Amino acid sequence: VLALQEARGLLDDQSSIEMREAAIEANRKSPDLIPAAAMAARSLTLKGDKKAAARVVRKSWEVQPHPDLAAAFAEIEPEETPAARVKRFAPLIAANPGHDESRLLAAELNVAAEDFPAARRALGDMVTRHPTQRALAIIAAIERGEGADDAIVRGWLAKALTAPRGPQWCCDKCQSIHAEWHPICDNCGGFDTLSWREPVETIGPGPTGAEMLPLIVKPPAPPPPTDDRDEPIDLAAIARSGN
């Protein structure tokens, strides 16, 4: 944890070489620490060692899938097509296929690739078993992509706005919720007390925005408006505004 905080401090000082080495060392000392793995993967990507970056993410994903790990994995090949991204992410998802984060990630990637049946299969029963804001936002995108009526899409989005947020960084000592990981809780001052888990149920958009398609998944272009139907829903605008 201290090594990771050193890396974060160096990042703030824009000391890129020292930051990269400190981040890699933090991950070496604690490979299951999600922020360390994500920062180490990004550091290795900056060094041009994409294979090592991918190994770091996969190793951490096996223990605890997390949106930050998925984002770091995406940054390894930032210019790839949605179809290529689905293929490259397949081994990562297979490292922990039954985890809800793996299901959500697979669904998002297939939405981006406009393979909506595959996205629906990946999501499985999460909409009924664990209907978080993120899962409901994804099913809304799937419904839109498959040509569902606007009323159906609006219904899913309305449910998403009041659904549980899902896992967040929570202090195990005071239960305070944080937008991102910190070595010290901003509320109670506890050291190394933040864990990625489901907090006590709350309402409203999550502080990380993870519930609204974190991998920059763009919804498919809506059909042009006609005189006999409402204007298409702009999912991206709704996600940004939280309304």
Side-chain angles (χ1 to χ4, degrees):
V1 171
L2 292 173
L4 175 59
Q5 183 58 19
E6 177 187 3
R8 290 163 62 94
L10 289 169
L11 178 62
D12 293 339
D13 293 337
Q14 297 182 345
S15 303
S16 58
I17 297 176
E18 292 85 354
M19 179 274 291
R20 289 199 298 264
E21 296 305 319
I24 294 169
E25 177 66 9
N27 177 247
R28 186 189 67 79
K29 291 181 176 179
S30 185
D32 59 343
L33 184 60
I34 292 168
M39 184 174 282
R42 290 186 171 98
S43 300
L44 290 164
T45 299
L46 288 173
K47 291 176 66 175
D49 195 343
K50 296 181 178 181
K51 289 184 178 180
R55 284 197 301 269
V56 166
V57 174
R58 281 197 296 268
K59 185 174 182 179
S60 187
W61 192 271
E62 290 176 358
V63 178
Q64 176 64 70
H66 189 280
D68 288 351
L69 296 173
F73 198 73
E75 291 170 19
I76 295 173
E77 297 290 349
E79 302 300 326
E80 66 190 342
T81 65
R85 179 156 291 186
V86 169
K87 183 177 181 179
R88 186 172 66 86
F89 269 74
L92 178 67
I93 294 169
N96 203 330
H99 197 283
D100 280 354
E101 183 61 39
S102 293
R103 294 178 180 275
L104 292 166
L105 174 59
E108 290 174 355
L109 293 171
N110 280 288
V111 167
E114 299 187 12
D115 188 345
F116 303 108
R120 190 182 291 276
R121 289 194 299 271
L123 200 59
D125 64 349
M126 281 198 65
V127 172
T128 55
R129 176 178 55 80
H130 192 195
T132 61
Q133 292 179 353
R134 186 171 162 203
L136 293 169
I138 292 172
I139 195 63
I142 293 171
E143 294 284 8
R144 165 46 58 86
E146 292 182 335
D149 290 340
D150 286 350
I152 294 176
V153 179
R154 287 194 183 98
W156 286 118
L157 290 174
K159 291 180 180 179
L161 293 175
T162 56
R165 299 172 182 173
Q168 299 171 79
W169 288 113
C170 304
C171 177
D172 295 330
K173 184 177 180 180
C174 69
Q175 309 307 315
S176 177
I177 299 173
H178 294 65
E180 60 181 16
W181 180 88
H182 296 285
I184 298 174
C185 175
D186 293 338
N187 184 57
C188 70
F191 175 72
D192 194 20
T193 58
L194 299 193
S195 60
W196 182 255
R197 58 180 173 81
E198 296 258 2
V200 176
E201 183 173 330
T202 54
I203 296 176
T208 64
E211 72 281 357
M212 295 298 179
L213 313 184
L215 293 183
I216 317 178
V217 172
K218 297 180 180 179
T226 61
D227 293 337
D228 58 352
R229 63 179 291 167
D230 295 335
E231 287 288 325
I233 300 171
D234 186 341
L235 290 176
I238 291 175
R240 287 194 300 270
S241 67
N243 295 323

